């Protein structure tokens, strides 16, 4: 360990936790696990409340530029019912232009999991900036990003609270009608990138049977829709072997949870 690591960047000695026996370590972990499980249940309850948020109709027609030309907000859904649209800052005037996007927005982009898993849950993820498509294509190639990324051409960013700061808007499509269902920014965007966190801010959620969702919302058996990201087939039945494996895993998990001390 280097001297700087030993003493901290300030040069002061680090006040490290005590070193204990394996038994004492397990006891400390078990004590903290109680709080962590409570936090997980609270997060699930918050997501359930989020699914009951009122919706706001989007009455204005918005236009974007995509790799193939002009597209509407409706087009961005790609036929799915849910759209997650992250406003990333990559344009003239942003630090790093034109070689890089905003460092914070780039951190968010680096966290994004394979979008095939979101697509399998009837959800599309799109990034949007004011940079021209040629610059966006070059940036994506340089950074290894593959998510859809469009150019804002009108007042979309101002109308949805992302003209001066990053943010994530969530929309639902009912036929040709579009509704804004949720919005996060600031530190809320820090947790984004993972499939579960994205689904938890959508109106339909993870769409698994254990969730507390309004009556009539789509729900499928837990775990069964999971697949390799290159193997999803629309409307396909879950693989029988995966059903067996996931059922066995869930049974073992339930048994272990039942035997844990409160």
């Amino acid at each position: 360990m280097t001297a700087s690591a030993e003493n901290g960047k300030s040069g002061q000695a680090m006040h490290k936790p005590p070193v204990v026996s394996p038994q004492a370590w397990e006891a400390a972990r078990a004590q903290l696990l109680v709080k962590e499980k409570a936090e997980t249940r609270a997060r699930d309850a918050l997501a359930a409340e989020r699914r009951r948020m009122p919706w706001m109709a989007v009455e204005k027609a918005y236009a974007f530029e995509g790799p193939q030309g002009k597209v509407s907000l409706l087009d961005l859904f790609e036929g799915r019912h849910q759209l997650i649209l992250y406003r990333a800052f990559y344009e003239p005037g942003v630090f790093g232009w034109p070689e890089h996007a905003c460092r914070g927005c780039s951190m968010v982009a680096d966290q994004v999991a394979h979008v095939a898993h979101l697509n399998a849950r009837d959800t599309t993820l799109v990034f949007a900036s004011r940079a021209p498509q040629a610059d966006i294509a070059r940036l994506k190639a340089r950074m290894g990003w593959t998510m859809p990324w469009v150019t804002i051409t009108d007042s979309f960013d101002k109308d949805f609270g992302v003209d001066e700061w990053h943010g994530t808007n969530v929309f639902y499509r009912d036929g040709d009608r579009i509704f804004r269902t949720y919005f996060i920014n600031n530190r809320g965007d820090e947790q984004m990138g993972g499939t579960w966190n994205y689904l938890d801010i959508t109106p339909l959620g993870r769409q698994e049977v254990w969730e507390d969702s309004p009556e009539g919302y789509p729900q499928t058996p837990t775990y069964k829709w999971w697949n390799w990201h290159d193997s999803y087939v629309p409307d396909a039945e879950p693989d029988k072997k995966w059903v067996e494996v996931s059922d066995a895993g869930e049974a073992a998990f339930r048994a272990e949870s039942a035997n844990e001390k409160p």
Side-chain angles (χ1 to χ4, degrees):
M1 180 179 293
T2 65
S4 59
E6 180 72 24
N7 297 324
K9 287 193 174 182
S10 66
Q12 297 178 344
M14 292 175 60
H15 294 279
K16 297 182 286 292
V19 177
V20 299
S21 67
Q23 295 79 9
W25 188 90
E26 288 290 352
R29 175 184 174 274
Q31 186 176 11
L32 190 58
L33 186 60
V34 173
K35 296 180 180 180
E36 290 176 338
K37 288 188 174 183
E39 181 187 24
T40 298
R41 289 190 289 269
R43 188 170 62 246
D44 291 341
L46 184 61
E49 187 173 349
R50 194 180 289 123
R51 289 191 288 277
R52 292 165 172 81
M53 273 273 296
W55 295 359
M56 183 193 83
V58 179
E59 305 291 358
K60 185 175 178 180
Y62 292 97
F64 304 84
E65 285 289 334
Q68 306 305 320
K70 185 177 179 179
V71 290
S72 67
L73 182 60
L74 186 64
D75 292 329
L76 298 187
F77 284 81
E78 297 182 346
R80 302 182 182 94
H81 282 95
Q82 302 190 131
L83 171 67
I84 301 171
L85 188 53
Y86 175 72
R87 196 319 190 191
F89 278 83
Y90 177 53
E91 55 218 52
V94 172
F95 177 72
W97 172 265
E99 289 78 14
H100 281 292
C102 157
R103 290 187 179 185
C105 295
S106 297
M107 282 281 287
V108 173
D110 279 338
Q111 313 309 311
V112 174
H114 203 291
V115 297
H117 303 295
L118 288 174
N119 296 165
R121 293 279 89 177
D122 200 15
T123 304
T124 301
L125 173 68
V126 176
F127 275 43
S129 301
R130 285 196 169 272
Q133 278 296 298
D135 293 297
I136 290 174
R138 186 179 64 251
L139 176 70
K140 289 175 63 177
R142 171 176 180 166
M143 302 300 287
W145 297 329
T146 59
M147 73 287 284
W149 199 317
V150 297
T151 302
I152 301 168
T153 66
D154 51 28
S155 63
F156 173 86
D157 47 3
K158 183 177 182 181
D159 293 348
F160 288 95
V162 288
D163 57 325
E164 297 182 355
W165 196 241
H166 62 86
T168 303
N169 278 282
V170 185
F171 301 94
Y172 185 85
R173 178 184 65 82
D174 186 1
D176 288 342
R177 298 196 67 194
I178 299 174
F179 302 89
R180 188 190 196 193
T181 64
Y182 204 64
F183 174 67
I184 59 170
N185 61 4
N186 296 320
R187 291 197 65 189
D189 273 328
E190 289 181 3
Q191 64 178 335
M192 292 297 103
T195 301
W196 308 125
N197 284 336
Y198 275 131
L199 290 176
D200 283 347
I201 65 171
T202 65
L204 299 182
R206 304 185 188 191
Q207 304 163 54
E208 294 185 337
V209 294
W210 63 270
E211 286 183 303
D212 174 12
S213 292
E215 184 177 355
Y217 275 43
Q219 290 184 312
T220 59
T222 307
Y223 308 133
K224 304 304 181 288
W225 64 274
W226 296 9
N227 210 338
W228 297 294
H229 73 247
D230 64 348
S231 300
Y232 283 110
V233 177
D235 302 320
E237 291 293 324
D239 182 87
K240 292 183 179 180
K241 182 60 178 179
W242 171 239
V243 171
E244 295 175 5
V245 171
S246 59
D247 280 348
E250 186 172 8
F253 165 74
R254 300 299 177 194
E256 180 181 356
S257 297
N259 293 329
E260 288 180 350
K261 296 180 180 180

